[in-house]
Amino acid sequence: MAQSSLIRQGVLSTVGVAVQGLARFGYSILIARFVGAEPLALVNTLISLSIILSLLWPTAAGNAAGTFLARAVRNDRAPQRVLGLVWKSTGLACLGISIIGVLVAVIVIGTEPAETVGMVALTLAWSAYILTRGIRMGLGQVTAAAVWDSVSAAVSIGLLAVVIALGATALLLWPLTIGYALFALAAVPAMRRTGRALAPDRTTVPGDIWHLVAWNSLGLIATNGLIQFSMVWAFAASSAEESGMFAAAIALATPASMLAQAVSQVLIPRYAHWLEEDPVQARRHHLQVLSVMTGVLVVAFGTVAWIAPWFIPLLYGPGFDAAVPLMRLLLIGVFFFSVGLIASSFLITSWRTVPATIAAGAGSVLGILAMAVASPGLGGASGAAVGVIVGTAVSAAIAVGWSLRMPNPPSRAAESPSEPGDGRVGELR
């Protein structure tokens, strides 16, 4: 029953994220075909910057929400305490990341005021989206998330078509922003209603949440941030045409990672349940999931790489042939990223956020070094792709190796439940 429930939730979550991925994919196609490669490079660079900024706290807060809400619900505790903590902390974090975003956009990328405002708005909307999606996963609202993923994606594409038809190229980021904001707003009423009849949660320690979010943020920056940073690197280190080809390639390659991200968001609360019940059995489940997902990813990514020479010209039109080899390189990196993400999901829910962060950090450092070494000879775009492969491969190898070890649950002293059987989890480490 547990396995069938996981499969059903995984399918629903994958459908929702796949729809968002297709929307992002369609976003790039519409801009490339009807606006041009150079505007596509700028838009994708600003989107990448927004995602990097959200990794500084909001994305990890969504993962923490999924973990701690699942534990609260499993132990019949109201989720409002956890919800309040993650929302307030994310609100404060958004103030800081907005300031950082403005400085980077103006100084490094050289954006105009309207483009800068659009980037900040997108950062806030994406942060709210990724947080509320994690919350919905933790509360078991997988079906609702899939529905609103579809609605918000359709709204984004529809509004983009209007913007392009009107020739309002300064507003190219706003349709995506409105779509993500719509998803977040739709989740608020359900969050307010859920679990109010349950006993108050007096066992969740705020420090446990902050510990998980802080370490997971570092890990996410080092892993997800490397892929997003590659777009910024290519934009800064190559010509406008070359960065446009890289933008086209990464727009096709990164949605492939959404399969693992969708499964990961379901796995985080599921791993939390399994670890509460039996850490030994949880490890067995993790090995099964990791094996199956690796096989699925090999087939999926291999197929995409094989047909790339056919569908890239079909989708983008003539003049984008140079994106084919770049996309194939990026798919290798995204494959390693996806495998590492599954392993890291088990690590962060089995009290091993520090090892997960170390794995990601080591890969990130080596990936950036590889970009710097490879770019002078290969060009900024190809160098960025090589850096992604090196970094994600190192991170995945370390994370998988650590995840195969038995987790060490918190000590009984650390748990110190205030009530018998309340299932409190001690400090994550």
Side-chain angles (χ1 to χ4, degrees), residues 214-250:
W215 280 101
N216 190 216
S217 288
L218 291 175
L220 287 168
I221 292 166
T223 308
N224 298 43
L226 180 64
I227 295 177
Q228 301 302 330
F229 177 74
S230 68
M231 182 66 246
V232 180
W233 179 283
F235 188 85
S238 57
S239 65
E241 181 180 355
E242 189 179 0
S243 63
M245 294 301 106
F246 189 88
I250 201 170

Side-chain angles (χ1 to χ4, degrees), residues 121-135:
L122 177 60
T123 300
L124 297 177
W126 169 259
S127 297
Y129 163 77
I130 204 68
L131 174 63
T132 51
R133 202 171 197 286
I135 289 171

Side-chain angles (χ1 to χ4, degrees), residues 30 155-167 175:
L30 289 174
V155 168
S156 294
I157 292 298
L159 289 177
L160 178 63
V162 173
V163 167
I164 292 175
L166 294 175

Side-chain angles (χ1 to χ4, degrees), residues 94-133:
C94 283
L95 293 176
I97 64 178
S98 296
I99 295 172
I100 296 172
V102 169
L103 294 175
V104 173
V106 173
I107 297 172
V108 178
I109 300 175
T111 56
E112 299 294 332
E115 296 164 346
T116 304
V117 171
M119 182 278 301
V120 171
L122 177 60
T123 300
L124 297 177
W126 169 259
S127 297
Y129 163 77
I130 204 68
L131 174 63
T132 51
R133 202 171 197 286

Side-chain angles (χ1 to χ4, degrees), residues 330-380:
L330 287 169
L331 280 173
I332 298 172
V334 173
F335 166 76
F336 286 127
F337 162 77
S338 300
V339 173
L341 185 62
I342 300 298
S344 294
S345 297
F346 187 62
L347 288 175
I348 67 173
T349 49
S350 59
W351 313 283
R352 293 179 288 180
T353 52
V354 175
T357 303
I358 292 173
S364 179
V365 170
L366 291 175
I368 293 173
L369 288 175
M371 289 183 195
V373 171
S375 292
L378 300 177

Side-chain angles (χ1 to χ4, degrees), residues 148-284:
W148 281 102
D149 268 325
S150 302
V151 171
S152 64
V155 168
S156 294
I157 292 298
L159 289 177
L160 178 63
V162 173
V163 167
I164 292 175
L166 294 175
T169 55
L171 303 177
L172 287 174
L173 287 175
W174 284 96
L176 200 60
T177 301
I178 293 171
Y180 289 138
L182 180 63
F183 180 100
L185 290 173
V188 173
M191 288 187 294
R192 290 181 177 275
R193 292 192 303 265
T194 302
R196 287 200 171 274
L198 298 176
D201 178 12
R202 298 188 178 91
T203 62
T204 299
V205 180
D208 290 352
I209 297 179
W210 310 149
H211 189 274
L212 175 57
V213 175
W215 280 101
N216 190 216
S217 288
L218 291 175
L220 287 168
I221 292 166
T223 308
N224 298 43
L226 180 64
I227 295 177
Q228 301 302 330
F229 177 74
S230 68
M231 182 66 246
V232 180
W233 179 283
F235 188 85
S238 57
S239 65
E241 181 180 355
E242 189 179 0
S243 63
M245 294 301 106
F246 189 88
I250 201 170
L252 294 174
T254 50
S257 70
M258 290 187 172
L259 173 61
Q261 291 178 30
V263 173
S264 176
Q265 281 200 313
V266 172
L267 281 175
I268 286 174
R270 183 60 62 177
Y271 279 151
H273 278 283
W274 285 336
L275 287 161
E276 288 279 293
E277 295 169 356
D278 184 353
V280 175
Q281 189 65 24
R283 177 177 172 273
R284 293 195 187 101

